């Protein structure tokens, strides 16, 4: 692309197109625009303007992202990692995740039951398989214990 054609208006237009597709974190949007236009100073200025106008919001992005990942059956550990990768700060991440909330344990129970049914794991191998599955989904060890206990598994 000819750099003489690149204007703040063109960068803003591209940013608005990205934001129209879905909410974007400031870091994601910055990286996409710099890759496309190679003018980091102008991109940063345009992003500051979009934030000031309320058109780009990391808080709105976090809310939408957490809701999407919850629908996909992801736990708080995976979601937090993905939000960090997208440039969100820890206080904002904790505001939306509340990892100690009971909803995560209930979600782990529902996901465990959907995949493996309500039955108690019959042996250590099956129990380990269920633990690995829930762990890979991003649930904490406490959430996993709760999910297995809910099914009546008292052997820890």
């Amino acid at each position: 692309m000819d750099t003489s054609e690149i204007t703040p208006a063109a960068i803003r237009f591209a940013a608005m197109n990205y934001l129209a597709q879905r909410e974007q974190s400031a870091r994601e949007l910055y990286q996409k625009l710099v890759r496309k236009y190679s003018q980091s100073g102008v991109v940063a200025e345009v992003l500051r303007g979009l934030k000031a106008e309320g058109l780009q919001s990391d808080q709105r992005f976090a809310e939408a992202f957490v809701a999407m990942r919850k629908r996909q059956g992801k736990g708080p550990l995976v979601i937090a990692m993905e939000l960090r990768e997208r440039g969100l700060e820890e206080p904002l991440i904790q505001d939306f995740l509340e990892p100690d909330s009971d909803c995560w344990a209930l979600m782990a129970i529902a996901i465990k039951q959907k995949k493996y049914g309500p039955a108690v794991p019959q042996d250590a191998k099956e129990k380990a398989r269920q633990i690995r599955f829930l762990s890979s989904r991003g649930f904490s060890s406490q959430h996993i214990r709760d999910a297995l206990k809910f099914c009546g598994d008292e052997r820890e």
Side-chain angles (χ1 to χ4, degrees):
M1 174 175 275
D2 182 11
T3 56
S4 63
E5 299 173 19
I6 300 173
T7 64
I11 294 172
R12 179 184 167 87
F13 183 77
M16 294 299 293
N17 283 337
Y18 286 130
L19 289 168
Q21 293 170 12
R22 68 168 177 84
E23 289 291 340
Q24 310 262 337
S25 73
R27 180 187 288 174
E28 282 180 313
L29 198 52
Y30 176 81
Q31 290 170 340
K32 287 178 181 182
L33 293 169
V34 166
R35 241 186 339 267
K36 186 172 183 174
Y37 294 106
S38 303
Q39 293 188 357
S40 60
V42 178
V43 168
E45 184 179 320
V46 167
L47 286 180
R48 278 192 294 278
L50 291 173
K51 278 186 170 190
E53 295 174 50
L55 297 171
Q56 189 285 319
S57 165
D58 279 348
Q59 184 166 358
R60 214 171 39 236
F61 167 75
E63 184 176 7
F65 189 85
V66 169
M68 174 188 63
R69 288 299 196 238
K70 277 183 169 181
R71 284 190 306 273
Q72 294 173 346
K74 303 295 182 184
L77 302 178
V78 165
I79 297 172
M81 178 191 64
E82 291 174 336
L83 288 172
R84 280 185 211 99
E85 289 171 355
R86 285 162 176 78
L88 272 68
E89 299 293 325
E90 204 61 38
L92 184 59
I93 292 170
Q94 294 307 314
D95 286 348
F96 284 97
L97 287 183
E98 299 177 29
D100 297 330
S101 172
D102 290 339
C103 75
W104 296 110
L106 295 173
M107 192 173 163
I109 291 166
I111 289 170
K112 184 263 181 219
Q113 288 186 345
K114 182 177 179 183
K115 180 146 177 98
Y116 298 106
V120 175
Q122 294 303 308
D123 57 23
K125 184 177 177 182
E126 179 60 24
K127 182 178 179 180
R129 188 166 78 113
Q130 292 181 19
I131 289 171
R132 280 192 309 275
F133 171 73
L134 291 170
S135 180
S136 73
R137 286 293 184 105
F139 291 100
S140 71
S141 57
Q142 184 60 51
H143 299 143
I144 294 168
R145 277 192 298 276
D146 291 345
L148 295 177
K149 277 184 184 177
F150 181 78
C151 297
D153 186 4
E154 299 300 328
R155 299 166 292 158
E156 292 285 329

